[in-house]
Amino acid sequence: MRLPRLLCAFLLAACCRRAAGVLGEAEPPEPELVEVEVGSTALLQCGPSRSQDNLSNVDWFSVHKEKPTLIFRVRHGLGQSEPGEYQHRLSLQDAGSTLALTHVTPHDERVFLCQGKRPPSQEHRLQLRVYKAPEEPSIQANALGISVNSREPEEVATCVGRNGYPVPQVIWYKDGRPLKEQKNRVHIQSSQTAESSGLYTLRSVLKAQLRKEDRDARFYCELSYRLPSGSHMKESREVTVPVFYPAERVWLEVAPAGPLKEGDRVEIRCLADGNPPPHFSLSKQDPRTRETVEETTDDDGVLVLAPARREHSGRYQCQGLDLESTASLLSAQQELRVDYVSDVRVRPAAPEGHEGSNLTLTCEAESSRALEFQWLREKTGQVLTRGPVLELQDLDREAGGGYRCVASAPRVPGLNATWLVNVAVFGPPWMAQKERKVRVRENALLNLTCEASGHPRPAISWSVGGRASEHDQDPQRVLSLLSVRVTPQLVETGAECVAANALGRNSTRILLELASNTSTGLSTATVGPHAGANGTSTEKKLREPQSKGVVIVAVTVSLLVLALLGAVLCFFYKKGKLPCGRSGKQEITLPPSHKSTFVVEVKSDKLPEEMGLLQGSRADQRAPGDQGERYIDLRH
Ligand SMILES: *[C@@H]1O[C@H](CO)[C@@H](O)[C@H](O)[C@H]1NC(C)=O
Ligand SMILES: *[C@@H]1O[C@H](CO)[C@@H](O)[C@H](O)[C@H]1NC(C)=O
Ligand SMILES: *[C@@H]1O[C@H](CO)[C@@H](O)[C@H](O)[C@H]1NC(C)=O
Ligand SMILES: *[C@@H]1O[C@H](CO)[C@@H](O)[C@H](O)[C@H]1NC(C)=O
Ligand SMILES: *[C@@H]1O[C@H](CO)[C@@H](O)[C@H](O)[C@H]1NC(C)=O
Ligand SMILES: *[C@@H]1O[C@H](CO)[C@@H](O)[C@H](O)[C@H]1NC(C)=O
Ligand SMILES: *[C@@H]1O[C@H](CO)[C@@H](O)[C@H](O)[C@H]1NC(C)=O
């Protein structure tokens, strides 16, 4: 059985070789290969360039289906196209030895033949090969996705390479590694279409069975093709394909991570490792009845607790029903704990004590965690003690006021609650301010304040009428505000504020002082004319000349009195009753009012306006030098 088959094979091989040898002898020699790109010019040479053949008379043929057609003739070195498809694209080059074919198309890929006519020579065959690089390959991934449960290879992507010649080769890659045809796993189906231009468009479809690990795999296709210059290739971009696979595990995720406290925004999320995620339901076990109650989640399947409360603590369960896999109900549970501190309270609730006594404050609070306590002075923020009990010894007035208890759970960062108590120390009223002066203007509306502290809380009354309002600063402190109009009578009496409680009374006085503008009045007057035309400034202008007059009269009278005095003094001096000298200023005894007028006059070099007035009113007294000299002048 074996031997005859072997023998037959041998015989067959021997016969075939013989046949081939016989045919080879009869066949014409292999045609010369001419390679050219589409669109360019093909140069067809009739025989080797160093040929001695006389090419002044040549016929050119194109061969189609073994049938030669005359397309060009050369006579006496001159070329002539034959009518037909090549009529306009042929010309002679290199003194007639080369035929140029322009605008080569894929249809030109055929055998050309030339033959010398006179003298007749052997025909020369040329095979024209045409090439064209395909366009950049385009790739389209399967957007619908592929299930890992699919029994057959599914379409992964389609690659298209347009307008190439000849048809390019396609190679598919996954993660940079070429894919090979594999039975029932990888199929590559390629087809081409010939365009009217003769170019080919290649279309290749990759089909494969994918696994879960392929969800991130990157696919691309590569077109390899030849040009006269050699082999080339072009790559498409990379694509990924949605891969559907069933969930194997479901779990719960709680954000933020770490201990939760009341007031936090908490998000509870069901997660699974399947694609698409299974349909979830989230439920919570009722701690009393042990029944599970379904929770309503938002559209993303997230349960948001904002703000979280202690009632949100408990066991949460997530169930995922995967429609991809046959019938798996996956579930996961997680305990959620929302910590809290609340109901901070202090005993006694309203602490009070007499000066010198002791007071104990105790702080308590509700919490899900072990607590730490702190006592702080509210006014200063100073920590007084750590622990729930605050001992205040030997109370004094200063010990009164706010104390804050802070209860915090060290295990839960930021979890704390506080309570403020006010310690009241029995005592008579205490005035915040001592007697004071206030500068006022006549007829102005004035606000007077008076603050007093004491326990029991003092009541405040004023010695003058007006609109008074009280404002509690804290339980032992009251501020009274009195609005009054400034009258001469009020300026005279001032205002007294009296604070009283069961343990005593205390008071403070506010003295009013009219803000006088006499010294600056004159300077204002000289600036006056430059001021605007407002009602107020007009009023001022009217009044100021009047006051200027008064001053001038006062100065004149003073000077007259001085002159008179000087005369009287000199009279006594001449009589030898009084010592008199150039520096006798101090020795003159004058009533204080006169003295002050005198001093104003003497210092008048510091008040130029006043000086000007003096000079203006008494031009004859224009005295250079210092005022001491004027004083002497006056004396004489
Ligand atoms: C080729 O032949 C032509 C006449 O047919 C002649 O005139 C010419 O000189 C020849 N050229 C060569 C190179 O032999
Ligand atoms: C206050 O406490 C101190 C220290 O415990 C004690 O010495 C003092 O006697 C107490 N004062 C009164 C009034 O109880
Ligand atoms: C109390 O909680 C707040 C935030 O809730 C935090 O800023 C503060 O530091 C906490 N204080 C203490 C003493 O823990
Ligand atoms: C009245 O208050 C002042 C503090 O402004 C205080 O010094 C004074 O002792 C108090 N008088 C009485 C009788 O309490
Ligand atoms: C006086 O107090 C009243 C009420 O607080 C306020 O409306 C007014 O502006 C104050 N007047 C002055 C001059 O401060
Ligand atoms: C009076 O003088 C005070 C300050 O000295 C000033 O604020 C006020 O405007 C003056 N009044 C007049 C009417 O010039
Ligand atoms: C004059 O009147 C205008 C508006 O009427 C005001 O803005 C300006 O302050 C006034 N000037 C004086 C000096 O009163």
Side-chain angles (χ1 to χ4, degrees), residues 261 374 406 408 414-416:
K261 56 183 184 296
Q374 261 185 11
V406 180
S408 55
L415 177 57
N416 60 49

Side-chain angles (χ1 to χ4, degrees), residues 460-486:
I460 290 182
S461 57
W462 291 87
S463 65
V464 292
R467 215 159 47 79
S469 55
E470 285 199 355
H471 308 272
D472 285 358
Q473 304 298 94
D474 64 45
Q476 279 77 48
R477 187 177 302 273
V478 63
L479 177 89
S480 176
L481 186 94
L482 180 74
S483 286
V484 281
R485 179 134 344 244
V486 178

Side-chain angles (χ1 to χ4, degrees), residues 52-57 76 118-119:
Q52 296 304 304
D53 293 347
N54 192 326
L55 298 171
S56 299
N57 295 288
H76 309 295
R118 240 174 291 152

